[in-house]
Amino acid sequence: MSTLTQDQVAELAEYLETCELEAKDAQKVTDRYPDMDFEDAYAVQYAIRQRKLDRGTRMAGLKVGLTSRAKMKQMGVETPIYGFLADYFDRPDGGDIETDQLIHPKVEAEIAFVTKAPLKGPGVQVGSVLAATDFVLPAVEIIDSRYENFRFDLVSVIADNASSSRYVLGTQVARPQDIDMRHLGVVMERNGEIVELGAGAAVLGHPAASVALLANMLGQRGEEIPAGTLILTGGVTAAVTVNQGDNVNVRIQDLGSVGMRFV
Ligand code: OOG
Ligand code: MG
């Protein structure tokens, strides 16, 4: 079911995307349209993606969010969601993140996948994901909800492209058969101090389950995850607030580290 007209979807997409591009707070979309449902929310997200494509922005991959208990508890929502990664979200390992382009960034330690074969739900499981995975690598996602104080409901955050804003990938990759992703230790440091700890299994029992979930959710729309897709599987731990001047480093066992400076 959907409740919004095409004009309302287009108007919300323009509104939220402008807030993203200008780094300013947005009013929750459900304040304006309390009856909006998931279908409306994804319609707004896809309309934001189309606005970027029409402007010549390329898509760099997909992300799944709210896949660990730590993240669900922190945000007060219990259902995983997905969003897209645009080319200009990408920052190099060891590089700078310009805080004046963001509202109130937080960092998340994540395990990223790159596929080598298409995945199409329903029925995708951990085993089929591992067989279709080229390699995995460590990642930090920088999320920046356009909503004040990151206070949102599920519909509002889906419309806001799951708070996506930047991401940094590590440069060391591993083949899925060479590592046990459930048992990978994850350590996040801010300015040299440990702020979060976790293990791969925090993400839906196995990070590949997050990719399976994504394939199955997209399958409901008749879409697939194409070969060669980058997928961020979701924060292993709670997200950590960062400010200008902070250095962040995430180490993932067997996958090396990834770091960035907030300038
Ligand atoms: C929504 C995005 C969550 C993750 O990895 O769980 C996310 C948010 O918490 O603002 O990217
Ligand atoms: Mg994330």
Side-chain angles (χ1 to χ4, degrees):
M1 273 282 293
S2 55
T3 69
L4 299 182
T5 65
Q6 277 186 4
D7 283 352
Q8 288 168 328
V9 168
E11 180 204 324
L12 288 179
E14 179 181 5
Y15 172 64
L16 285 174
E17 202 211 4
T18 304
C19 290
E20 181 235 319
L21 296 173
E22 296 179 1
K24 52 181 203 208
D25 279 340
Q27 187 193 8
K28 270 198 313 212
V29 291
T30 50
D31 289 351
R32 287 224 346 251
Y33 299 105
D35 296 332
M36 266 181 77
D37 59 21
F38 282 13
E39 209 175 303
D40 294 315
Y42 278 110
V44 173
Q45 183 191 118
Y46 276 70
I48 294 173
R49 168 151 70 168
Q50 193 58 49
R51 291 174 63 84
K52 294 187 188 304
L53 289 169
D54 290 347
R55 231 182 273 124
T57 300
R58 302 281 182 94
M59 288 303 126
L62 294 165
K63 64 165 277 184
V64 194
L66 308 174
T67 49
S68 66
R69 286 255 43 100
K71 276 292 306 181
M72 290 182 192
K73 202 167 150 219
Q74 181 178 36
M75 308 321 293
V77 271
E78 303 258 317
T79 310
I81 59 177
Y82 64 90
F84 63 83
L85 302 171
D87 55 6
Y88 68 91
F89 295 180
D90 183 40
R91 291 291 176 278
D93 186 20
D96 291 344
I97 308 290
E98 310 84 345
T99 47
D100 63 355
Q101 296 174 2
L102 305 172
I103 305 165
H104 46 198
K106 291 187 188 188
V107 287
E108 299 181 318
E110 307 206 10
I111 296 170
F113 282 59
V114 174
T115 58
K116 62 180 179 189
L119 282 164
K120 184 163 186 182
V124 176
Q125 293 175 342
V126 168
S128 31
V129 170
L130 294 177
T133 298
D134 197 358
F135 54 85
V136 299
L137 67 174
V140 171
E141 186 183 12
I142 295 107
I143 51 169
D144 193 35
S145 173
R146 267 52 70 172
Y147 304 117
E148 211 180 324
N149 297 321
F150 273 83
R151 269 203 301 269
F152 49 65
D153 48 80
L154 209 49
V155 162
S156 293
V157 66
I158 290 167
D160 184 32
N161 190 26
S163 309
S164 307
S165 73
R166 300 284 182 268
Y167 66 88
V168 180
L169 299 175
T171 50
Q172 191 180 325
V173 305
R175 304 280 164 201
Q177 60 271 27
D178 295 338
I179 56 174
D180 175 0
M181 273 182 260
R182 289 168 303 165
H183 293 154
L184 294 185
V186 175
V187 178
M188 185 194 280
E189 293 173 351
R190 183 180 54 195
N191 304 325
E193 203 181 301
I194 294 174
V195 282
E196 290 290 342
L197 295 165
V203 174
L204 297 172
H206 191 305
S210 170
V211 178
L213 180 68
L214 175 64
N216 292 329
M217 288 193 288
L218 291 174
Q220 289 177 5
R221 306 177 61 102
E223 295 172 16
E224 64 175 23
I225 304 176
T229 302
L230 166 71
I231 301 147
L232 301 184
T233 55
V236 170
T237 71
V240 172
T241 299
V242 283
N243 289 299
Q244 195 171 35
D246 284 345
N247 278 288
V248 170
N249 186 63
V250 167
R251 256 173 301 135
I252 304 185
Q253 191 181 356
D254 299 341
L255 292 177
S257 68
V258 46
M260 75 242 30
R261 193 164 56 118
F262 288 81
V263 298

